[in-house]
Amino acid sequence: MKVGIIGASGYGGLELIRLLHNHPEIEQIDLFTSSEVGTVFSEKYPHLVTIHDQPMQAIEQEHIRKLDTVFFSTPAGVTTSLLPPLVGVGPKLIDLAGDFRLKDPSLYEEWYQKDAPEMKFLEKSVYGLPEWNKEQIKEAEFIANPGCYPTAVLLSLLPLLKNELIDGSQLVIDAKSGVSGAGNKPSAVTHFSETNENFSIYKLHQHQHIPEIEQAMNLFANQPEPITFTTHLVPMTRGIMATSYAKVNKQVTEKQLLDCLRETYKESPFVRVLTDIQKIGTKQVYGSNYCDIHVKVDPRTNRATIVAVIDNLVKGASGQAIQNMNILYGLDETTGIDNIPLFI
């Protein structure tokens, strides 16, 4: 297959290149940009010398239409206008930004502070959470890849909510991410002096992933209640840890929670349910497409602590996008992304 990456020079684009380079079904990767046309990619990123030495190309519809798959790794708001002309004209489209995730355009405009896409394209987009929406993904015209935080949160909570093992009315979700989640554009927030030896909370009750999580909980688990969701910036490069707190229903046991997770994901190669473990960390999924989940119930409070860890750039973005591409083409969903985590 011949694929294209629009917005190739960002962190999401770099991960797509790294993973697609060894994908057995990919023979060509074209890199597109709106701001650095003609720049030789390996001059910008020297670790790719002799691997990807081609110049980045202008975003031209005629060229893009001849590709098999196009990944959009752009900031929010860009694909609202860039993606629609390509729908149904040839390539499969996978959007890593948030433009087509929310089905209610007013929610998108409220939380993203940008104009929403046309409703007819929102209706065509398919939410690309493979473990929960595989049949829809197989038939999709284009895919809205989930956000990084929602991926970790939803994979860990949806089975328990759907089976009514936890109380969804008072969910508290405490999530932490490495700095790469903010992208590669320098800012005061991601400046070394601001992030080093610092641990900060941000977007308090205002994070744009809140409505995405709530929408998916309602869709897949019939859980319409609002959530309390907080995000923190950790002075590390990669990784997300989402820790959720919920009351268990009707004297549900820890074993029941774990059994539910194991049964739900018994055929999901990238979700690992951990038992008999005393610690869980982001390093155990670093550089991989795995999501690791662990649950512990405190009998004193009858409250469950549910922990999920992912690499925000892989399972939280580019790896999941390739997993979706594999499903679209009827390939084994692990093709090209079954690498072992990089622990050290």
Side-chain angles (χ1 to χ4, degrees):
M1 293 187 289
K2 297 177 181 179
V3 303
I5 302 171
I6 297 177
S9 61
Y11 291 149
L14 282 176
E15 282 298 274
L16 283 168
I17 292 168
R18 180 176 74 88
L19 297 168
L20 289 168
H21 179 76
N22 290 316
H23 195 292
E25 300 297 329
I26 303 300
E27 67 172 12
Q28 177 180 320
I29 304 173
D30 289 349
L31 310 179
F32 298 93
T33 180
S34 60
S35 58
E36 299 178 86
V37 176
T39 300
V40 175
F41 203 73
S42 59
E43 291 179 359
K44 185 176 178 67
Y45 292 106
H47 70 291
L48 294 174
V49 167
T50 73
I51 301 172
H52 286 280
D53 293 324
Q54 73 268 47
M56 288 187 281
Q57 305 176 52
I59 302 170
E60 297 178 350
Q61 296 277 339
E62 287 305 311
H63 181 171
I64 293 170
R65 290 182 183 190
K66 297 176 182 177
L67 300 173
D68 296 298
T69 304
V70 180
F71 297 93
F72 297 82
S73 185
T74 60
V78 174
T79 53
T80 294
S81 58
L82 192 60
L83 187 147
L86 294 168
V87 175
V89 300
K92 303 289 188 182
L93 310 173
I94 301 176
D95 185 18
L96 277 72
D99 295 21
F100 294 91
R101 296 173 191 157
L102 299 178
K103 296 300 186 181
D104 183 341
S106 65
L107 279 178
Y108 177 83
E109 293 176 351
E110 175 186 352
W111 289 86
Y112 282 81
Q113 298 296 299
K114 299 179 185 295
D115 292 335
E118 292 183 55
M119 193 66 204
K120 63 180 180 180
F121 294 109
L122 291 176
E123 290 173 347
K124 288 182 178 180
S125 69
V126 170
Y127 191 62
L129 191 64
E131 291 78 9
W132 285 84
N133 214 20
K134 187 177 295 185
E135 294 306 312
Q136 294 282 339
I137 292 168
K138 288 178 182 178
E139 307 298 327
E141 288 193 64
F142 73 95
I143 290 172
N145 218 54
C148 51
Y149 281 125
T151 296
V153 171
L154 294 170
L155 288 177
S156 60
L157 293 182
L158 284 177
L160 309 181
L161 290 169
K162 183 177 181 179
N163 290 280
E164 299 181 347
L165 300 179
I166 59 173
D167 182 358
S169 67
Q170 299 183 50
L171 269 177
V172 176
I173 304 164
D174 180 79
K176 303 167 181 69
S177 175
V179 182
S180 62
N184 69 350
K185 297 288 186 194
S187 71
V189 174
T190 58
H191 192 289
F192 179 81
S193 298
E194 297 282 345
T195 57
N196 185 48
E197 298 187 32
N198 192 17
F199 186 68
S200 57
I201 190 169
Y202 67 101
K203 292 187 179 179
L204 197 56
H205 303 314
Q206 296 179 331
H207 201 284
Q208 69 272 17
H209 287 166
I210 291 173
E212 179 183 342
I213 294 170
E214 292 177 343
Q215 174 183 269
M217 284 181 172
N218 194 15
L219 174 64
F220 297 118
N222 193 30
Q223 166 54 46
E225 299 289 340
I227 59 172
T228 297
F229 178 72
T230 57
T231 53
H232 305 76
L233 188 64
V234 182
M236 63 184 187
T237 303
R238 292 172 181 252
I240 280 178
M241 176 177 285
T243 307
S244 303
Y245 306 94
K247 284 281 189 181
V248 296
N249 288 331
K250 302 173 184 176
Q251 303 303 310
V252 168
T253 66
E254 184 177 302
K255 182 179 182 301
Q256 286 175 284
L257 299 180
L258 289 167
D259 286 347
C260 174
L261 289 165
R262 281 192 292 256
E263 177 63 24
T264 300
Y265 296 123
K266 63 183 180 183
E267 296 181 2
S268 299
F270 291 116
V271 179
R272 303 188 296 190
V273 181
L274 308 178
T275 59
D276 300 321
I277 190 169
Q278 294 303 310
K279 69 174 185 177
I280 179 171
T282 56
K283 266 294 188 78
Q284 65 198 49
V285 296
Y286 197 95
S288 80
N289 201 53
Y290 288 106
C291 173
D292 286 1
I293 304 172
H294 184 54
V295 177
K296 201 76 176 174
V297 173
D298 184 347
R300 298 181 310 110
T301 62
N302 206 36
R303 188 178 294 275
T305 300
I306 305 123
V307 185
V309 290
I310 63 170
D311 184 316
N312 56 292
L313 294 177
V314 188
K315 185 58 173 169
S318 301
Q320 185 153 247
I322 296 170
Q323 187 179 355
N324 281 319
M325 180 194 74
N326 289 338
I327 294 169
L328 279 170
Y329 286 100
L331 303 172
D332 186 305
E333 63 189 280
T334 67
T335 305
I337 49 173
D338 60 346
N339 52 305
I340 293 173
L342 182 65
F343 189 75
I344 300 298

